[in-house]
Amino acid sequence: MATRRTLAATAAALLIGTGVAAGGATVAQAREGHAPGHGAQAPGHAFGHKLGLGQVKDRWLDSRVDRTDAQEARAALRAALESARATFHDAVDAAGSDKAAREAARVAFADAVLTSVLAFDAATLPADQLDAVTAYRVAMADAIESLRATVAAAHADFRGATAEAQAALKAAMASATTREERRDAWAAYREAIEPAREAQRSALRGATETFQNSVDAARDAVEAALPQS
């Protein structure tokens, strides 16, 4: 069983992949004197890839199954993933700033990756292992999606809770005439958003722990279901 440190790193990578580090970026921007909101990246190509492609290379799983080295199946997987990437890129580009369309592209990409991986499993695993691995893949996909949704909600809550403080900061910066006034405005802003920042940190810690527990449960289940050699 992988250590919880490894699982925490996996969760952290997914958190970063969603762009929800924007809460921390706001603090960094405050230190640099930039207005909040600049530099935060909207979900894009890397966003979808990080979420979906975590299913492709699962060394933990591969160390526990009897996979055949089928070159044709691997070539088919690569082709399917390349097609999914291309479709995802095109959909995101076409979506522009339409959040609903970008989300639809992400969901379609994740589904395409899962479908491709399941087809690869079906082509390379013995029949007595396939059902257990399929259930594991679906459980992992659900864990990743739950993590993404929880983190996105934490980010949205942070933005909502700090909107008033950001507006006050912009007004204060617009009227400031000295370095001291600008420094005081940033200090007031940082103090005002601290409760929201702590709430976000707490939500992210909870999301990470839930993800770790879900991965542990999925791995326990597949180990119990796989035929004992």
Side-chain angles (χ1 to χ4, degrees):
M1 184 69 65
T3 65
R4 294 184 73 82
R5 178 180 299 177
T6 300
L7 297 178
T10 301
L14 289 169
L15 299 185
I16 293 170
T18 63
V20 178
T26 300
V27 179
Q29 291 156 10
R31 292 180 181 143
E32 295 298 325
H34 300 301
H38 293 287
Q41 296 181 352
H45 296 356
F47 172 67
H49 289 171
K50 286 178 182 293
L51 289 173
L53 297 180
Q55 286 275 49
V56 177
K57 293 184 178 180
D58 190 328
R59 293 186 178 87
W60 180 90
L61 176 65
D62 285 340
S63 70
R64 286 159 174 79
V65 296
D66 302 316
R67 196 180 299 280
T68 59
D69 187 13
Q71 292 185 355
E72 290 185 3
R74 294 183 187 280
L77 175 60
R78 285 193 297 270
L81 293 176
E82 289 174 2
S83 175
R85 287 189 188 97
T87 299
F88 175 71
H89 289 168
D90 291 344
V92 169
D93 289 343
S97 60
D98 187 332
K99 292 183 179 180
R102 293 172 72 89
E103 172 64 7
R106 183 199 66 79
V107 171
F109 175 77
D111 287 346
V113 171
L114 180 58
T115 298
S116 300
V117 173
L118 291 177
F120 175 70
D121 288 337
T124 60
L125 290 176
D128 60 354
Q129 295 184 359
L130 183 57
D131 286 348
V133 171
T134 298
Y136 168 81
R137 295 287 199 188
V138 172
M140 288 295 293
D142 288 345
I144 292 170
E145 179 62 20
S146 178
L147 174 64
R148 187 213 63 81
T150 302
V151 170
H155 183 34
D157 289 346
F158 176 85
R159 285 186 301 179
T162 60
E164 185 175 340
Q166 291 189 14
L169 172 64
K170 291 179 180 179
M173 293 295 288
S175 63
T177 58
T178 66
R179 177 178 295 180
E180 288 72 19
E181 288 177 340
R182 288 190 290 270
R183 185 165 54 240
D184 289 345
W186 278 108
Y189 171 73
R190 288 194 293 267
E191 182 178 357
I193 70 170
E194 183 57 31
R197 286 182 59 224
E198 182 52 40
Q200 186 185 48
R201 290 191 196 102
S202 179
L204 297 184
R205 286 193 296 268
T208 301
E209 182 175 356
T210 298
F211 176 74
Q212 291 171 339
N213 291 338
S214 296
V215 172
D216 285 343
R219 289 179 170 180
D220 288 343
V222 73
E223 284 193 316
L226 287 173
Q228 299 300 313
S229 57

